Amino acid sequence: MQDRVSPPRDVRRQLAGDRPPAAALGARASGVSTGQRTQGVSRGRAARWALGIAIVLAGVGLLAASAWLSVPFYPVPMTMQTLAVLLVGGLLGPRMGAATVATYLMAGLAGAPVFHNGTFGPAILFGPTGGYLVGFVPAAALMGWFAQRSRQTTGIREFAFLGVGAVLAEVVIYAVGVPWLSVYVGSIGKALQVGMAPFVLGDLLKMAVAIGALRLGTGVRRRKNMLPREGAR
């Protein structure tokens, strides 16, 4: 009897249609699925980063526009910047609000005409009014923290959180700005006279506008179910 010679394995696979084993198919499909998930996660992160950058740039634009609306008092000009700081902190929260103000200061230091009347540079940031500008950073963080808490309640408590946040933000701005200014004008008394007293009434009005705008915004977001759940960040 003549021996039967089996064809090589690769020939047998070709005769069988060259079909890979089921396990290999499963592994390949799993690899494709994992790759797609990884790509989706990467795209989601990129989208969040892009949105965050756009929001920060919009906040910087608001701060710059508020600085250009200026009445030339000396040595401290009257601008709408404190209103913009309260809104940026209240809308963006403590971390992104402070980061937006810090980005604004760095832009002005680097030469962008974003300070009052389109001024810029180290002479402004480190000059007589530099303390107010530096104080904007913690002020935005404070306002943002209290605004976040206000969204977890309603009525008088919501108003109280926003009111306390606005008052503390203003206090921080003057707590940094007035002593800084005193170095240039000679005394704390003189700094209070030229760097605080003329602005108190205007700041009270700006606080009222900011609180009203933030409450209105929260009400709209609450009606549209756009507020984050309690405890979410």
Side-chain angles (χ1 to χ4, degrees):
M1 180 181 292
Q2 189 176 4
D3 293 337
R4 297 180 63 183
V5 179
S6 299
R9 182 179 300 174
D10 57 345
V11 174
R12 292 202 305 270
R13 293 185 66 180
Q14 288 180 2
L15 293 174
D18 200 18
R19 296 174 183 172
L25 282 173
R28 190 177 302 170
S30 176
V32 171
S33 177
T34 302
Q36 289 174 341
R37 285 198 298 270
T38 303
Q39 255 187 347
V41 170
S42 299
R43 287 174 182 170
R45 288 176 179 170
R48 286 194 297 271
W49 272 98
L51 178 61
I53 291 171
I55 290 172
V56 168
L57 291 178
V60 170
L62 175 62
L63 288 163
S66 70
W68 296 335
L69 298 173
S70 174
V71 177
F73 282 22
Y74 182 84
V76 182
M78 181 177 291
T79 71
M80 299 297 288
Q81 281 181 294
T82 51
L83 172 59
V85 168
L86 295 177
L87 291 175
V88 166
L91 292 171
L92 304 187
R95 285 182 293 183
M96 186 170 283
T100 299
V101 177
T103 302
Y104 164 75
L105 297 183
M106 292 302 100
L109 182 62
V114 295
F115 297 144
H116 63 276
N117 293 324
T119 53
F120 57 87
I124 302 299
L125 187 57
F126 301 116
T129 61
Y132 299 97
L133 295 172
V134 172
F136 288 164
V137 178
L142 266 173
M143 189 66 206
W145 190 90
F146 279 95
Q148 279 187 341
R149 273 57 192 176
S150 75
R151 296 182 193 118
Q152 298 171 7
T153 184
T154 57
I156 297 299
R157 286 175 58 85
E158 178 187 6
F159 179 82
F161 272 116
L162 291 173
V164 170
V167 169
L168 290 180
E170 292 285 350
V171 168
V172 165
I173 292 171
Y174 284 116
V176 180
V178 170
W180 187 307
L181 178 63
S182 71
V183 175
Y184 293 87
V185 299
S187 69
I188 287 287
K190 181 66 173 177
L192 288 169
Q193 181 183 350
V194 300
M196 180 176 171
F199 305 100
V200 171
L201 179 58
D203 285 340
L204 290 173
L205 294 174
K206 294 172 195 174
M207 288 164 55
V209 171
I211 291 169
L214 292 173
R215 290 194 71 190
L216 179 62
T218 298
V220 172
R221 293 171 67 186
R222 186 174 284 125
R223 285 193 297 272
K224 294 183 177 295
N225 200 26
M226 295 171 61
L227 288 178
R229 291 185 299 274
E230 186 172 350
R233 295 290 183 269

